[in-house]
Amino acid sequence: MRNYWVLTKVLLKNLNFPLSKDILKDKKQLRKAILPLVLILAFMPMMFGIGAIVRIAYQGLHPIGQEGLILGSGFSVVSTAVFFFSIFYVMGVFYYSKDIENLLPLPLKPSEILAAKFTVTLLYEYATEAVFLLPILISFGISSSAGMLYYLAGGAVFLLLPVTPLIYGSILNMIVMRFTNIGRNRDRFRIVGGIGAMFLALGTNFYIQRFSNAAMTPDKLQAMLLSGDNSMVSLMSGIFFSNRFAVQALLAGSTASGLVYLLIYAVITVLLVLLFMLMGEALYFKGVIGISQASSGKKKPVQRLYEAAAVRKPALFSYVLKELRLLFRTPVYFLNCIVMNFLWPAFLLVPFLAQPELQDTLTGLGKMAQSESGGALVLAVAFAVSLFVSSTNGITASAISREGSNLYVCKYLPMSYGRQLMAKTISGILMSLVGTLMLLISAVWITDLPPALLVMILLASLTGIIFSSLTGILLDLRFPKLIWDSEQKAVKQNLNVVLNMLVSIGSAAASVSGILYFRLPLSAAFAVVTGAYLLMDLFLYYLLMKKGTRLLSRLQG
Amino acid sequence: MIELVNVSKSYKVGVKAVDNLSLAIPSGEIVGFLGPNGAGKTTTIKMITGILNPDSGSITINGTDIRQEPLRAKQQFGYVPDSPDMFLRLKGVEYLSFMADIYGVPGYIRKERSRELCRRFEMEGALGDAIQSYSHGMRQKIVLIGALLHDPKVWILDEPMTGLDPRSAFALKEMMREHVQSGKAVFFSTHVLEVAEKLCDKVAIINKGRLQFYGTMQDIRAHFAENESLENIFLEMTEHA
Ligand SMILES: Nc1ncnc2c1ncn2[C@@H]1O[C@H](COP(=O)(O)OP(=O)(O)OP(=O)(O)O)[C@@H](O)[C@H]1O
Ligand SMILES: [Mg+2]
């Protein structure tokens, strides 16, 4: 037990969890704590949205005595979400974190390490849960004008709920890691997992859209919840069977039976924890130890390798290829910088697919695009969206930071700094272009835009993409984040990516409002936007070659 | 041929990592660079290769100034840094191909050279794997091969022997000798005095950023007591600095 406490504390310190008491004394700590606050603010609208849905659903279901369905399906959804998130958290924290190699040689029992790591992961899950479950619990409590006991029980449920799905996720991971080869190819595993998670997010988005649609009309909601349409929900409540005791505990109000249900719920959870510990003793170490052995796939004949290396390519091309290879093969970069480009269209399409009524709007849009001023509006919006999408991949805005401690390599290669910076910028432009093309393809799919307009959008977007790519790399040259121990920090915690997004959003907004304000017709709008951005691109290019190269030569890697 | 004239560099104000260093590494010779930890060897090498800018002084490689004509100067040398952990997510063969493209090595030459180098360093089996899966010594070797692909006139190696197995270390030493026999230059830092003693035509000993000694082994012997080992000389020299 003592080992467990000590280890947990150490792990929390390593995570930079802004939990320590001296948080207010230390400015650095304080700055770290601001990010979560910003995140909470960002999630506020969503939380209020969930609360509103619950309130409306309550009004619909209370009269027929089915309000328990809200808690039941809410808990199922939250449990499922925690379960899926936990698969990735657990994988990272239990198996792939750097401290494992330091912990293995220490005289610790597997269950002690597991328990400590489990606790850390649980804290993460509470954060996830706060976004989804808190609004459900609170809104339900207000709607049913519940008493003190409800909130006490609600607090207990909040603490207990994520434990079960987290255990499921952990056990699943332990079995997979122990008995399969998957974990050996860590990068591929993470990439596959990451894409899976994104599709899950998309699916959830789709589901929530439909659900919130239905929630607006109580009849529909009732039909949806009671009919077979929610077979997914019933499957989930089957898997997370103990959740029903939590629901009963909350519905029972102030009666003694509520306490009994809560106790049953707690006991089941504790039993699951014990089961998890037992399985961990048997499975955990064996799974971990297999990981550090690298595997090599099928071997190509050496001769063929030499042939491949012997094909001479232009230096700039080779450099761009290197950038793209690193982006595609490093899981963190792949998920943040590459997948994003393919995913945006999907995110934008979901509402249209989830709500058939919107399709009519789209047909209208297609018609509107035929007219001169309507075309200008479509062009403006498409331009703004592609500018924004291009800035979200953060490829150029993290291009220098991603080099990290290896920045010095740029310095001894016989290639001018200008050309190296160009290669980095080109890799960003290429991927952003892919994103824009995906957007255009999906736009063509759901509505019909005139071909001439599509070409104009593509050309205008290209100038916008070049703009945001250049501002990105200039920002990253000016404020590079070169000292990091995990690639995550170079991309995800890189302020330059955010800054560049703001720059792009700002200039996109300015362009759109300019077009609208002056009521430019399509051809004029196209000429003005393309011309203006082309000029800015040229200026930024000049800046990159002049100031950017000097900044790079001054950076000491 | 590498020439350093009055080169100084300080990271912190007032503390000189390299202090007014002048050194000429002639073609046709292997020059060993010795000195205790933190003496300024890596700093010096980084200035020669253009990674760091010296505060003062000038550095030329085959007559080309690294500050004035960086690209031409960089084309002259092959450099192996002290930590070979780079491009980890590329496969060995992709890394070699990248380096050859950057240095503009023609297709027929690079095939010959990469085959020859990989054979001598016994790296053929690993070429298809990601560098991330290499051991420290293997990483050292792939970086070395990449640096030598364009057949540079000057080799600049920062502790190239660390981590190499005896056979690879032997191959490297052999290659250094062949290289200088064809009239080219090798400059490398090392902590292994035995290697320096047996392999180098000259040694430069640096301590606290200052050059303590530069000359042939005979010079050293003449300077100090005859028959004293380089180890003793090194210890003595770096103690009284
Ligand atoms: N990036 C840096 N920032 C600040 N000081 C540095 C940096 N790199 C080196 N130094 C300092 O410069 C001095 C020389 O370091 P250098 O790396 O050149 O030594 P070295 O001779 O290569 O040592 P070793 O044998 O350990 O490799 C040391 O005092 C070191 O502390
Ligand atoms: Mg060194």
Short mmCIF file of all heavy atoms in Angstrom, two decimals, chain B residues 112-145:
data_model
loop_
_atom_site.label_atom_id
_atom_site.label_comp_id
_atom_site.label_asym_id
_atom_site.label_seq_id
_atom_site.Cartn_x
_atom_site.Cartn_y
_atom_site.Cartn_z
N GLU B 112 27.28 1.75 -55.94
CA GLU B 112 28.57 1.12 -55.64
C GLU B 112 29.01 1.40 -54.22
O GLU B 112 29.33 0.51 -53.45
CB GLU B 112 29.64 1.70 -56.59
CG GLU B 112 29.64 1.08 -57.97
CD GLU B 112 29.74 -0.44 -57.88
OE1 GLU B 112 30.77 -0.91 -57.37
OE2 GLU B 112 28.79 -1.13 -58.30
N ARG B 113 28.98 2.70 -53.89
CA ARG B 113 29.51 3.10 -52.58
C ARG B 113 28.67 2.57 -51.44
O ARG B 113 29.21 2.13 -50.43
CB ARG B 113 29.62 4.63 -52.50
CG ARG B 113 30.87 5.16 -53.14
CD ARG B 113 31.14 6.59 -52.74
NE ARG B 113 31.58 6.75 -51.37
CZ ARG B 113 32.82 6.52 -50.95
NH1 ARG B 113 33.74 6.12 -51.80
NH2 ARG B 113 33.16 6.70 -49.69
N SER B 114 27.34 2.65 -51.59
CA SER B 114 26.53 2.18 -50.46
C SER B 114 26.72 0.68 -50.28
O SER B 114 26.79 0.19 -49.15
CB SER B 114 25.05 2.54 -50.65
OG SER B 114 24.57 2.06 -51.87
N ARG B 115 26.86 -0.05 -51.38
CA ARG B 115 27.07 -1.48 -51.23
C ARG B 115 28.40 -1.76 -50.54
O ARG B 115 28.47 -2.53 -49.59
CB ARG B 115 27.04 -2.15 -52.60
CG ARG B 115 27.05 -3.65 -52.48
CD ARG B 115 27.05 -4.31 -53.83
NE ARG B 115 25.92 -3.90 -54.64
CZ ARG B 115 25.89 -3.98 -55.97
NH1 ARG B 115 26.94 -4.43 -56.62
NH2 ARG B 115 24.83 -3.62 -56.64
N GLU B 116 29.42 -1.06 -50.99
CA GLU B 116 30.75 -1.24 -50.41
C GLU B 116 30.76 -0.89 -48.91
O GLU B 116 31.24 -1.67 -48.08
CB GLU B 116 31.72 -0.33 -51.18
CG GLU B 116 33.06 -0.05 -50.53
CD GLU B 116 33.99 -1.26 -50.62
OE1 GLU B 116 33.60 -2.20 -51.34
OE2 GLU B 116 35.05 -1.23 -49.98
N LEU B 117 30.19 0.28 -48.56
CA LEU B 117 30.22 0.72 -47.16
C LEU B 117 29.39 -0.21 -46.29
O LEU B 117 29.80 -0.58 -45.18
CB LEU B 117 29.70 2.16 -47.05
CG LEU B 117 30.64 3.23 -47.61
CD1 LEU B 117 29.92 4.55 -47.77
CD2 LEU B 117 31.84 3.38 -46.69
N CYS B 118 28.21 -0.59 -46.77
CA CYS B 118 27.35 -1.45 -45.96
C CYS B 118 28.01 -2.81 -45.76
O CYS B 118 27.88 -3.44 -44.72
CB CYS B 118 25.99 -1.63 -46.62
SG CYS B 118 25.01 -0.15 -46.57
N ARG B 119 28.71 -3.26 -46.77
CA ARG B 119 29.38 -4.56 -46.62
C ARG B 119 30.47 -4.45 -45.55
O ARG B 119 30.55 -5.26 -44.64
CB ARG B 119 29.99 -4.98 -47.96
CG ARG B 119 30.52 -6.41 -47.99
CD ARG B 119 31.24 -6.70 -49.28
NE ARG B 119 32.33 -5.76 -49.57
CZ ARG B 119 33.50 -5.74 -48.93
NH1 ARG B 119 33.73 -6.63 -47.98
NH2 ARG B 119 34.42 -4.85 -49.23
N ARG B 120 31.25 -3.39 -45.63
CA ARG B 120 32.36 -3.29 -44.68
C ARG B 120 31.89 -3.10 -43.25
O ARG B 120 32.55 -3.54 -42.31
CB ARG B 120 33.29 -2.15 -45.09
CG ARG B 120 34.07 -2.51 -46.34
CD ARG B 120 35.00 -1.42 -46.75
NE ARG B 120 36.26 -1.42 -45.99
CZ ARG B 120 37.34 -0.77 -46.41
NH1 ARG B 120 37.31 -0.11 -47.55
NH2 ARG B 120 38.44 -0.78 -45.70
N PHE B 121 30.77 -2.41 -43.10
CA PHE B 121 30.27 -2.22 -41.73
C PHE B 121 29.19 -3.24 -41.36
O PHE B 121 28.54 -3.10 -40.33
CB PHE B 121 29.71 -0.80 -41.56
CG PHE B 121 30.76 0.24 -41.50
CD1 PHE B 121 30.85 1.23 -42.44
CD2 PHE B 121 31.70 0.23 -40.47
CE1 PHE B 121 31.84 2.20 -42.39
CE2 PHE B 121 32.69 1.19 -40.41
CZ PHE B 121 32.77 2.18 -41.37
N GLU B 122 29.00 -4.21 -42.20
CA GLU B 122 28.03 -5.29 -41.94
C GLU B 122 26.66 -4.75 -41.62
O GLU B 122 26.05 -5.10 -40.61
CB GLU B 122 28.53 -6.17 -40.79
CG GLU B 122 29.89 -6.76 -41.09
CD GLU B 122 30.41 -7.64 -39.98
OE1 GLU B 122 30.40 -7.18 -38.82
OE2 GLU B 122 30.82 -8.76 -40.26
N MET B 123 26.18 -3.86 -42.47
CA MET B 123 24.87 -3.25 -42.24
C MET B 123 23.83 -3.72 -43.26
O MET B 123 22.71 -3.22 -43.29
CB MET B 123 24.99 -1.73 -42.31
CG MET B 123 25.58 -1.09 -41.07
SD MET B 123 24.56 -1.35 -39.63
CE MET B 123 23.22 -0.22 -40.00
N GLU B 124 24.20 -4.65 -44.12
CA GLU B 124 23.27 -5.03 -45.19
C GLU B 124 21.94 -5.55 -44.65
O GLU B 124 20.88 -5.23 -45.17
CB GLU B 124 23.90 -6.12 -46.07
CG GLU B 124 24.95 -5.57 -47.00
CD GLU B 124 26.19 -6.42 -46.99
OE1 GLU B 124 26.55 -6.91 -45.89
OE2 GLU B 124 26.78 -6.61 -48.05
N GLY B 125 22.04 -6.35 -43.58
CA GLY B 125 20.82 -6.98 -43.06
C GLY B 125 19.82 -6.00 -42.51
O GLY B 125 18.62 -6.26 -42.48
N ALA B 126 20.29 -4.82 -42.07
CA ALA B 126 19.41 -3.90 -41.36
C ALA B 126 18.88 -2.77 -42.24
O ALA B 126 18.04 -1.99 -41.81
CB ALA B 126 20.15 -3.30 -40.16
N LEU B 127 19.34 -2.70 -43.48
CA LEU B 127 19.00 -1.55 -44.32
C LEU B 127 17.50 -1.34 -44.50
O LEU B 127 17.03 -0.22 -44.63
CB LEU B 127 19.63 -1.72 -45.71
CG LEU B 127 21.05 -1.21 -45.86
CD1 LEU B 127 21.47 -1.30 -47.30
CD2 LEU B 127 21.15 0.22 -45.37
N GLY B 128 16.75 -2.43 -44.51
CA GLY B 128 15.31 -2.32 -44.75
C GLY B 128 14.52 -1.97 -43.50
O GLY B 128 13.31 -1.76 -43.56
N ASP B 129 15.19 -1.90 -42.33
CA ASP B 129 14.46 -1.63 -41.09
C ASP B 129 14.53 -0.15 -40.73
O ASP B 129 15.42 0.57 -41.17
CB ASP B 129 15.08 -2.43 -39.93
CG ASP B 129 15.00 -3.92 -40.19
OD1 ASP B 129 14.10 -4.32 -40.94
OD2 ASP B 129 15.84 -4.65 -39.66
N ALA B 130 13.59 0.27 -39.89
CA ALA B 130 13.61 1.66 -39.42
C ALA B 130 14.82 1.86 -38.51
O ALA B 130 15.18 0.96 -37.74
CB ALA B 130 12.34 1.97 -38.65
N ILE B 131 15.42 3.04 -38.61
CA ILE B 131 16.61 3.33 -37.81
C ILE B 131 16.28 3.24 -36.32
O ILE B 131 17.12 2.91 -35.50
CB ILE B 131 17.17 4.73 -38.18
CG1 ILE B 131 17.60 4.71 -39.64
CG2 ILE B 131 18.32 5.11 -37.29
CD1 ILE B 131 18.17 6.00 -40.15
N GLN B 132 15.00 3.50 -36.01
CA GLN B 132 14.57 3.41 -34.62
C GLN B 132 14.86 2.04 -34.01
O GLN B 132 15.10 1.91 -32.82
CB GLN B 132 13.08 3.68 -34.55
CG GLN B 132 12.60 4.01 -33.16
CD GLN B 132 11.27 4.72 -33.21
OE1 GLN B 132 10.43 4.40 -34.03
NE2 GLN B 132 11.08 5.68 -32.35
N SER B 133 14.83 1.01 -34.84
CA SER B 133 15.03 -0.34 -34.31
C SER B 133 16.52 -0.70 -34.25
O SER B 133 16.86 -1.81 -33.86
CB SER B 133 14.29 -1.36 -35.18
OG SER B 133 14.94 -1.49 -36.43
N TYR B 134 17.40 0.24 -34.59
CA TYR B 134 18.83 -0.05 -34.55
C TYR B 134 19.39 0.10 -33.14
O TYR B 134 18.88 0.88 -32.34
CB TYR B 134 19.61 0.93 -35.45
CG TYR B 134 19.43 0.76 -36.93
CD1 TYR B 134 18.49 -0.11 -37.46
CD2 TYR B 134 20.22 1.48 -37.81
CE1 TYR B 134 18.34 -0.24 -38.83
CE2 TYR B 134 20.08 1.35 -39.18
CZ TYR B 134 19.13 0.50 -39.69
OH TYR B 134 18.99 0.38 -41.03
N SER B 135 20.47 -0.61 -32.87
CA SER B 135 21.21 -0.39 -31.63
C SER B 135 22.05 0.88 -31.79
O SER B 135 22.15 1.44 -32.88
CB SER B 135 22.14 -1.56 -31.37
OG SER B 135 23.21 -1.53 -32.30
N HIS B 136 22.65 1.32 -30.68
CA HIS B 136 23.45 2.55 -30.73
C HIS B 136 24.55 2.45 -31.78
O HIS B 136 24.73 3.35 -32.60
CB HIS B 136 24.07 2.83 -29.36
CG HIS B 136 24.94 4.05 -29.34
ND1 HIS B 136 24.41 5.32 -29.22
CD2 HIS B 136 26.27 4.21 -29.48
CE1 HIS B 136 25.40 6.19 -29.26
NE2 HIS B 136 26.54 5.54 -29.42
N GLY B 137 25.26 1.34 -31.76
CA GLY B 137 26.36 1.16 -32.72
C GLY B 137 25.87 1.14 -34.15
O GLY B 137 26.51 1.69 -35.05
N MET B 138 24.72 0.50 -34.36
CA MET B 138 24.17 0.44 -35.73
C MET B 138 23.78 1.82 -36.22
O MET B 138 23.99 2.19 -37.37
CB MET B 138 22.96 -0.50 -35.78
CG MET B 138 23.32 -1.96 -35.62
SD MET B 138 21.88 -2.92 -35.14
CE MET B 138 21.03 -3.10 -36.69
N ARG B 139 23.21 2.63 -35.30
CA ARG B 139 22.86 4.00 -35.68
C ARG B 139 24.12 4.77 -36.06
O ARG B 139 24.15 5.50 -37.05
CB ARG B 139 22.16 4.70 -34.52
CG ARG B 139 20.78 4.15 -34.28
CD ARG B 139 20.09 4.84 -33.12
NE ARG B 139 18.84 4.15 -32.79
CZ ARG B 139 18.01 4.52 -31.84
NH1 ARG B 139 18.27 5.58 -31.11
NH2 ARG B 139 16.91 3.84 -31.61
N GLN B 140 25.15 4.58 -35.24
CA GLN B 140 26.43 5.23 -35.51
C GLN B 140 26.90 4.86 -36.92
O GLN B 140 27.36 5.71 -37.69
CB GLN B 140 27.43 4.71 -34.46
CG GLN B 140 28.71 5.47 -34.40
CD GLN B 140 28.62 6.63 -33.44
OE1 GLN B 140 27.74 6.68 -32.59
NE2 GLN B 140 29.49 7.60 -33.58
N LYS B 141 26.74 3.60 -37.25
CA LYS B 141 27.26 3.13 -38.54
C LYS B 141 26.43 3.66 -39.71
O LYS B 141 26.99 4.04 -40.74
CB LYS B 141 27.31 1.61 -38.56
CG LYS B 141 28.41 1.05 -37.66
CD LYS B 141 28.72 -0.40 -37.94
CE LYS B 141 27.75 -1.30 -37.22
NZ LYS B 141 28.18 -2.73 -37.29
N ILE B 142 25.12 3.70 -39.55
CA ILE B 142 24.32 4.17 -40.68
C ILE B 142 24.58 5.65 -40.93
O ILE B 142 24.66 6.10 -42.08
CB ILE B 142 22.81 3.88 -40.48
CG1 ILE B 142 22.06 3.95 -41.82
CG2 ILE B 142 22.13 4.88 -39.55
CD1 ILE B 142 22.22 2.76 -42.66
N VAL B 143 24.76 6.43 -39.83
CA VAL B 143 25.06 7.85 -40.00
C VAL B 143 26.42 8.01 -40.67
O VAL B 143 26.61 8.85 -41.56
CB VAL B 143 25.02 8.57 -38.64
CG1 VAL B 143 25.51 9.99 -38.79
CG2 VAL B 143 23.62 8.55 -38.09
N LEU B 144 27.36 7.17 -40.27
CA LEU B 144 28.70 7.19 -40.86
C LEU B 144 28.63 6.90 -42.35
O LEU B 144 29.20 7.61 -43.18
CB LEU B 144 29.54 6.14 -40.14
CG LEU B 144 31.04 6.09 -40.45
CD1 LEU B 144 31.70 7.38 -40.05
CD2 LEU B 144 31.69 4.93 -39.69
N ILE B 145 27.89 5.86 -42.71
CA ILE B 145 27.76 5.51 -44.13
C ILE B 145 27.13 6.66 -44.90
O ILE B 145 27.60 7.03 -45.98
CB ILE B 145 26.91 4.22 -44.28
CG1 ILE B 145 27.64 3.04 -43.65
CG2 ILE B 145 26.64 3.94 -45.76
CD1 ILE B 145 26.82 1.78 -43.58
#
